[in-house]
Structure formats: structure tokens, C-alpha cells
Amino acid sequence: MTSPLGRLRPEHPPVRRVDDLAAAFGLRVDGPAEGVTATGVTMSSADVEPGDLFVAVPGLRVHGARFAAEAVARGAVAVLTDTEGAELVPAGVPVLLTDDPRAVAGPVAAWVLDDPASRLVTVGVTGTNGKTTTTYFVDAALRARHAVTAVLGTVELRIGDDAVESPRTTVEAPVLQSLLALAHERGATALTTEVSSHALALGRVGGVQFDVVGFTNLQRDHLDFHGDMEGYFRDKSRLFAPGQARRGVVVIDDEWGRRLAQESPIPVETVSTRVGAPQAAQADWAVVEADVGLDGVGSRFVLRGPDGARHEAHSPLPGLVNVSNAALAVVVAHAAGVPVDAAAEAVGRAHAIPGRMERVVERGDGWPLCLVDYAHTPDALELALEAVRPITPGRLVLVYGSDGDRDRGKRPIMGQVGARLADVLVVTDENPRSEDPASIRAAILEGVRDVRPDLADVHEATSRAQAIREALRLAGPDDTVIVTGKGHEPTQEIAGVFHRYNDRDVFLAARAERREQHA
């Protein structure tokens, strides 16, 4: 089936001379480049189309140049790589040499595609938790002033009404540039993207100068990649750099946000989203009232602006965490040119976001309320459970796990948070990847025992689908079942194999089966 976004490339790209490209970036050229033209850039040999420049970067296991012959066979006209990679490129193909091909991949792709970001209003959102929700809220606000918008992130790559599943939170730099060009070609005038810490460390947003960037928070996550919180903060801060962004908006509810606001080399506006917090008085924008609503109502709040004016606003999702996401989105959209009250109204009308406090089955007819949420860090889990508790007349039943091949230190902490804030726990697998799933569950249960030594109301399931069904068996009509960790994800990775799987589908299948039994 053809994707509604086609090849994720513009239909009518510019034609650029390879020798002009080399001159523009000061690259040394080996091989016959005169008269060679390029119309696209890719870092994946499998995605090469005739006319592409193939960027071969060093990898964790092998050098990307090992795939240069395949890329050339598919139609690549030249290869951009380093000295080590050049030795692996087939003879007769122009080779552009640089010390760090990954660092220049984005700027080169932007040059080849004639700087598509300059033709759009661009917004980037980073932080540990809340990126996806905030990005969708920003997009909703931008649509109040832009007829066609694009949003890129963890859930999907969407331009206008057409979308495909996203392979990662932030796509590789050449793909991002192609999507920017495609968005412009399809009439979009604004684009919002999530920007992960991995993307910033690996140059995936290179070649884009965002009009506005936003920061949600910094909590423990990805320390297997960044080493420690200082390294994590350093990589997140890369988004707030001259040349990467023109201006920023920073939530200063945590110490890292306050530090970023103080150290940012670009102009920033600050947002405090906790009513009565000490930093509220110094913040440019502050939530000064908040009424956290119950079932289906979301939360209403008042946002005080730099001029002292009060703006009524609404988050369509429950919990104080989504007051924070909504407030940030309003200020970011305002910084991107949307009047503040129009932005607030649009955010309040934003549609449900896949896997973010998603209400899959409503309470009624003997069923508990069934929710799916992406919370996969200790702080996000805590905020999710705190948000759900006020809308739960009975018990809070939690299904959760933790990822394999990722930060192992957070697993017992996740166990403690669940044991402290939920009534019934079903510990299961998330994405075990190459690890033994039982060892991951054991680490979570170790944390659970710190809070509940007798493991009262604690269950373990070796299948995620089984875990959800067990939770439904245990839950009564006044209870809430929340499944966290995977959210929208359409697959589960086990021992290197991706299996089609989605938490929402399991809930819906269980409901359909029960209806058939009672028909």
C-alpha cells in the first residue's frame, strides 16, 4: 500500500551540483564530480533513490560506508563520508570527505533542498516528559492561524490530514529536511516536531534553525546513553543554541529548567505552572489558578502574562502535568505568532492524543475506566497515577513494566512509585529487547517490596496482553485500569524481533469478547 505521504520526499526537489555542494561546505572531493547533480540526501542505503547523495557515517558496529556499493547500485550519485569510509566506496563514484559526516548531514541536506525550514514557521519541543502532548497542543494552536500544518514526533509523521507511523521520536537529519520540503510543497506553513536528547546529541536537527523551541522538564531517563544527569542536561541544552533556535520558552518548575533559563544563550521566556510556587513571581508567565477537572472535563487554569493580564485556558487531558503541557504550548504558540487567547482556546479544543491518557473504554455497563498512557519514567508514572486517582471512585489498577537495554537504575524506582500510588499492580514486560524479561520484572518487584514487603495485591505476568486481561479480571466497575509504558507504540520488541502489538487493541478485543459472550 502506498503511503499517503508518498516517499516522505518532495515531488519536485531542486537539482544541485555536487561540486557546488563541496565548495559550499569546504569538502575535499575524490573522484569525478564535475557535472554530477543531486536531488536528495539519505543516510540509509535501503532508502536511496536515483540522484541521491549517500551519507555514510561510522556506526556502533560497522561503518555506513560498507553499504556504499548497495547505495550506488540503487542510484546514489555520490557518497559523503570520512577518510575511513572512503576506502569502502566503489571506484568511480565521487566521494566528499569530511571529518564528521554525521555533523554535516543536516546542513548538507538543507542546502540540497534549498533550506525548506526557512519557508515554514518551525517549532521544536524537548524535555523528558510531555514532549508529545505539548507538540500536539502546539500544533492545535498553530492551526488556529495556519490552514495546513505538520507535526512530527513519537506517534506519527503528519502533514495536513495525511500521516504515517513514526520510526522514532526525531527522524534522521536528511529525513527531517525531506519532510520539511514535502510539508512546504503540500502547502503547510507551520511545522512542530519533538526533539529528543538522542537527536540533539547525534545532529538529527542539524540544518534547522527553529523559530521557537520549548522545554518541558528534565527527569531521570536515558542515562545509559548520556551517562548522568549533567550529560543529559548538556545534550538537551543544545536545542537552545544560536543557529539552532531563535528564541525559547522554558518551564521552570524543576531545577534544570531554571538553570536552562539562566544559561540559555538565546532569548527565552519562562513559564511557572505550579500555583503558588516560589518561582512563579519571577516567571514571565505563570499559572495562578488551576481547577483539575474530573471525568472527561480536563483542567481549567488561569495563565498570567508578562503584562499581568490573566488568560483563561483549558487542558483537555486530566492532571496537573497536562496543565503544565497546555500552558507551555500556549506560550510557545504565542511566541510563534498566534494571539495568546486564540492559542489558549485552540489548545482547549485539542483532540485526544494516541497513548497519552487515552480513554480506551469508558466506565459503565460493569466496566472499569480503561486508560493507556506512555509514562515510562518514575516521574511520569507518578504524575500519571496522581492524575488518575481523583477520577477513580474505587481501586487504581496499574499494569506496567520497564524497557530492556535501557537505564537499569530506574527499574526499582518504578516499582516503588507503582507500589506507593496504585492499589493493585500487575508487573509485566514492556520492550525487553535483548534482555531476559524475567530479570527486568525482578528489578521492578525489588522496588515494590521496599514499599510492600508482603507483595499484597501484586501480580506478575509474562505476557503483556495476559497482564491486561488479568487486570480486567481483578477490576470492578468503580476501578480504573491504567496501562503505562508503551502508549501508542504499535510493536513490542522481544529478543530483537518486533511483534505487532498495541495496548489499546487488547482492551478493545477483551471488550468485544465479553460482548459476544453476553450476546
Side-chain angles (χ1 to χ4, degrees), residues 338-352:
V338 181
V340 62
D341 289 326
E345 181 182 357
V347 167
R349 291 185 282 103
H351 298 300

Side-chain angles (χ1 to χ4, degrees), residues 50 60 182 191 225 391:
L60 290 175
L182 179 60
L191 179 145
F225 181 81
I391 62 176

Side-chain angles (χ1 to χ4, degrees), residues 193-278:
T193 184
E194 295 180 55
V195 184
S196 69
S197 54
H198 290 73
L200 289 161
L202 298 173
R204 291 179 188 158
V205 290
V208 179
Q209 184 176 36
F210 291 100
D211 292 301
V212 185
V213 293
F215 175 87
T216 60
N217 52 67
L218 196 72
Q219 310 293 341
R220 177 174 182 146
D221 202 12
H222 306 306
L223 299 192
D224 54 300
F225 181 81
H226 300 287
D228 55 23
M229 290 298 292
E230 189 65 30
Y232 190 20
F233 173 76
R234 186 168 55 249
D235 283 330
K236 285 290 190 187
S237 301
R238 293 173 188 259
L239 187 58
F240 289 73
Q244 188 72 83
R246 292 183 173 86
R247 60 190 299 191
V249 180
V250 179
V251 174
I252 56 172
D253 293 342
D254 64 32
E255 60 178 306
W256 301 104
R258 292 189 286 274
R259 178 176 164 186
L260 177 59
Q262 292 172 353
E263 298 178 359
S264 173
I266 64 171
V268 298
E269 294 178 85
T270 56
V271 185
S272 170
T273 74
R274 297 291 181 262
V275 176

Side-chain angles (χ1 to χ4, degrees), residues 345-432:
E345 181 182 357
V347 167
R349 291 185 282 103
H351 298 300
I353 302 167
R356 271 64 181 176
M357 282 297 171
E358 184 177 1
R359 303 167 73 99
V360 181
V361 180
E362 295 290 347
R363 195 185 316 281
D365 296 327
W367 271 80
L369 174 64
C370 300
L371 301 170
V372 171
D373 192 72
Y374 190 54
H376 61 283
T377 68
D379 296 274
L381 180 62
E382 182 166 349
L383 290 168
L385 297 178
E386 288 176 345
V388 172
R389 177 61 74 181
I391 62 176
T392 303
R395 298 176 304 165
L396 183 51
V397 183
L398 169 65
V399 178
Y400 72 145
S402 191
D403 267 343
D405 297 337
R406 298 294 185 268
D407 180 9
R408 299 185 180 200
K410 73 178 182 181
R411 295 169 187 172
I413 305 174
M414 298 282 286
Q416 294 166 0
V417 172
R420 181 164 49 85
L421 296 177
D423 300 302
V424 180
L425 305 180
V426 184
V427 177
T428 188
D429 302 333
E430 199 164 295
N431 291 299

Side-chain angles (χ1 to χ4, degrees), residues 257-507:
R258 292 189 286 274
R259 178 176 164 186
L260 177 59
Q262 292 172 353
E263 298 178 359
S264 173
I266 64 171
V268 298
E269 294 178 85
T270 56
V271 185
S272 170
T273 74
R274 297 291 181 262
V275 176
Q279 64 269 13
Q282 287 73 45
D284 298 309
W285 300 80
V287 174
V288 293
E289 295 178 21
D291 179 16
V292 180
L294 300 181
D295 269 5
V297 177
S299 303
R300 299 195 176 277
F301 61 97
V302 175
L303 185 63
R304 186 263 301 153
D307 59 356
R310 293 162 59 92
H311 304 276
E312 300 283 340
H314 175 235
S315 165
L317 297 179
L320 286 172
V321 62
N322 287 307
V323 169
S324 178
N325 294 333
L328 174 59
V330 169
V331 179
V332 166
H334 178 57
V338 181
V340 62
D341 289 326
E345 181 182 357
V347 167
R349 291 185 282 103
H351 298 300
I353 302 167
R356 271 64 181 176
M357 282 297 171
E358 184 177 1
R359 303 167 73 99
V360 181
V361 180
E362 295 290 347
R363 195 185 316 281
D365 296 327
W367 271 80
L369 174 64
C370 300
L371 301 170
V372 171
D373 192 72
Y374 190 54
H376 61 283
T377 68
D379 296 274
L381 180 62
E382 182 166 349
L383 290 168
L385 297 178
E386 288 176 345
V388 172
R389 177 61 74 181
I391 62 176
T392 303
R395 298 176 304 165
L396 183 51
V397 183
L398 169 65
V399 178
Y400 72 145
S402 191
D403 267 343
D405 297 337
R406 298 294 185 268
D407 180 9
R408 299 185 180 200
K410 73 178 182 181
R411 295 169 187 172
I413 305 174
M414 298 282 286
Q416 294 166 0
V417 172
R420 181 164 49 85
L421 296 177
D423 300 302
V424 180
L425 305 180
V426 184
V427 177
T428 188
D429 302 333
E430 199 164 295
N431 291 299
R433 298 189 171 89
S434 69
E435 284 195 64
D436 173 23
S439 68
I440 300 173
R441 297 193 301 270
I444 297 171
L445 289 167
E446 177 186 338
V448 172
R449 286 190 183 90
D450 291 340
V451 180
R452 299 187 195 177
D454 58 356
L455 295 182
D457 290 318
V458 177
H459 308 263
E460 183 178 3
T462 59
S463 157
R464 195 168 177 91
Q466 173 196 338
I468 293 175
R469 291 176 182 276
E470 175 68 4
L472 290 173
R473 185 187 68 79
L474 294 167
D478 290 332
D479 298 341
T480 295
V481 178
I482 180 169
V483 184
T484 66
K486 289 183 60 62
H488 68 285
E489 290 181 356
T491 60
Q492 184 178 26
E493 184 181 354
I494 304 172
V497 178
F498 288 87
H499 304 267
R500 294 298 296 185
Y501 172 86
N502 181 266
D503 289 332
R504 185 176 189 273
D505 293 342
V506 179
F507 272 135

